[in-house]
Each structure stands twice: as structure tokens, then as C-alpha cells.
Amino acid sequence: YEHLAKYDAYIDLHSVSNGSNPKLLEALKKREITEKPILPMYLSHHYVPYAPAKRDQMLLVGSLWGCNRGSVRMQDALVGLANDKLLVAYGLDGLEFLGDAYKGMAEEYNKEDTRANNLFNLQKDFGIALVIHSLEHMVTKIPTSRIAESIAAGAIVISDNHGFVRETFGDSVLYFDSLTQGDEIYTQLKKHIDWIKQNPEAVEVKTKAAHEILMRDFALENQLQKIEAELKNAGKM
């Protein structure tokens, strides 16, 4: 952590989800850094107006590193959903076990599309976002960025029981237990997909509510304004 001494302030996600960051405080104390501000911030997604997404298939974006997220249990559940044509995956190497459901890197998606943000476009075009955290994410309550881009795009999110997600978005997100057997994970996710397809009006209620929370509390413009205000108060600007 030697590099910490170089900075005038610190933007910290851990403090958003946990109230403080003992590791950061300890590292600063060891270097006798006591007067530099720590700004709890979740730098997520810029403001976009709400617009409904399609609800075709469940989308997995990213990678499956880490205990739990990369477990055989999880892979078995995802293979079952892929075989049922309910799941599509874009992301890093390592998702080939999904067969034809794995479509390669997100950058390869619809190259002729003139819209700028491929990750956002993926979430918008598939409309059902599967969000899986590693065990470390779960323990530390640090969320993946998939939450922000999915909700901003108007997708309905199906997330594991992550503390930050539950506390922040409540029942505007659907949840599943990722710490159970693969067949049970499969069953939970399939039930959610079936419910989504059968209840479009209820889905819109959830996605609008989640979008409102994200834009109200975590839109990038709001966060940058908070940073500016905090730094001015601390005499750093």
C-alpha cells in the first residue's frame, strides 16, 4: 500500500457497503496519514432515462472466477439453462462449457450496431440479467458492476443473496440461493424466468423501481457532484 501516500483523497466502495474500511484506515494510519478524506462512493453508471428492455433470454456477462461463482454446482445449473435455450453468455474465456450458448467476447456483439456501449446494449437487448458474485464478494458485501449496467438498461436482475444488492434494491430485484446444489439453483432460476415471461406488467414495476433507486442514489453525475462537494469542504479543491 505504499502508493496510498501519493493521493490527496480516497474513493472507497467498501465504505459504502460496510460503513467503513478498516483495512484502508489501518494502512493510512501506518503511514501517518490522518487528514486525507475517504469518500464512500459507488461509481456506477451515468444517468439514462428509463426505457423497457426486451425479455428474451437470461444473459450472463463477464467471467466465473472465484469460489461459488466458478463452482461445479453453478456450472451444472448454467449448463441446464443453456441446454433449455434460456441462457446466453458473453465474456472472457472459460465459458466454453456452455456450448452454443457462449457467444464470445462482449465486444463482438452486433458490431454493426451504431450504439456506443456494448455491455449496456447486451443488457437492453436480452432484458434478463443474471448476476452472480464470488464468495469474496458475498463476504465483503462488494457488488459487481453488472448490477449497475443491467438496471440502467432496464433489465430485470436475478441476483444471488448479496448483502449490498438486497439492502439497496430490495424486492425490485429477484433473488436465488447460490449456496445450494446445482439442480436447486437451476430450478430457482428457471422459475424466475418463467415468472418474468408470464408477468410483464409486474416485471416493469420492478425494473422501474430498481432504475429509480440507481439513478437517485448512484448515478455517476450525482456521485461526481458529491466528490466535488466533499473535496471542497476538506479544502482539497
Side-chain angles (χ1 to χ4, degrees), residues 10-179:
Y10 309 90
I11 297 173
D12 183 48
L13 173 57
H14 195 280
S15 293
V16 173
S17 54
N18 293 276
S20 66
N21 189 336
K23 288 284 188 182
L24 176 59
L25 292 170
E26 179 183 358
L28 294 176
K29 184 178 180 181
K30 284 182 178 179
R31 286 152 186 81
E32 299 183 347
I33 301 172
T34 58
E35 297 183 356
K36 295 182 179 181
I38 298 173
L39 312 178
M41 296 285 169
Y42 178 32
L43 300 179
S44 59
H45 199 284
H46 63 275
Y47 177 83
V48 289
Y50 178 79
K54 299 176 183 177
R55 311 283 179 217
D56 293 335
Q57 291 173 292
M58 185 167 63
L59 175 69
L60 173 66
V61 177
S63 61
L64 293 177
W65 60 267
C67 182
N68 186 50
R69 184 156 65 174
S71 67
V72 173
R73 298 175 297 100
M74 188 64 66
Q75 291 185 17
D76 285 347
L78 297 179
V79 166
L81 293 163
N83 289 342
D84 291 344
K85 309 300 183 185
L86 296 174
L87 175 73
V88 171
Y90 284 83
L92 301 176
D93 294 340
L95 295 173
E96 292 86 356
F97 69 90
L98 292 171
D100 292 341
Y102 174 54
K103 305 300 183 182
M105 299 293 287
E107 291 80 2
E108 299 300 314
Y109 176 67
N110 202 358
K111 285 187 173 181
E112 287 71 35
D113 196 332
T114 57
R115 296 173 296 175
N117 188 331
N118 263 26
L119 287 175
F120 183 89
N121 299 338
L122 276 167
Q123 303 291 359
K124 175 68 71 179
D125 291 348
F126 287 96
I128 305 172
L130 175 61
V131 176
I132 313 170
H133 295 86
S134 73
L135 190 59
E136 288 301 311
H137 281 130
M138 303 284 275
V139 172
T140 61
K141 294 174 68 176
I142 299 295
T144 171
S145 296
R146 297 295 82 83
I147 290 288
E149 69 202 18
S150 305
I151 291 175
I156 180 77
V157 171
I158 305 175
S159 172
D160 46 30
N161 287 305
H162 188 277
F164 175 86
V165 180
R166 275 200 175 276
E167 291 171 10
T168 303
F169 296 103
D171 62 4
S172 67
V173 165
L174 299 172
Y175 299 95
F176 72 100
D177 180 7
S178 64
L179 300 177

Side-chain angles (χ1 to χ4, degrees), residues 156 171-174 195 202-211:
I156 180 77
D171 62 4
S172 67
V173 165
L174 299 172
W195 180 86
V203 169
E204 288 304 302
V205 170
K206 286 184 178 292
T207 54
K208 286 180 180 178
H211 185 273

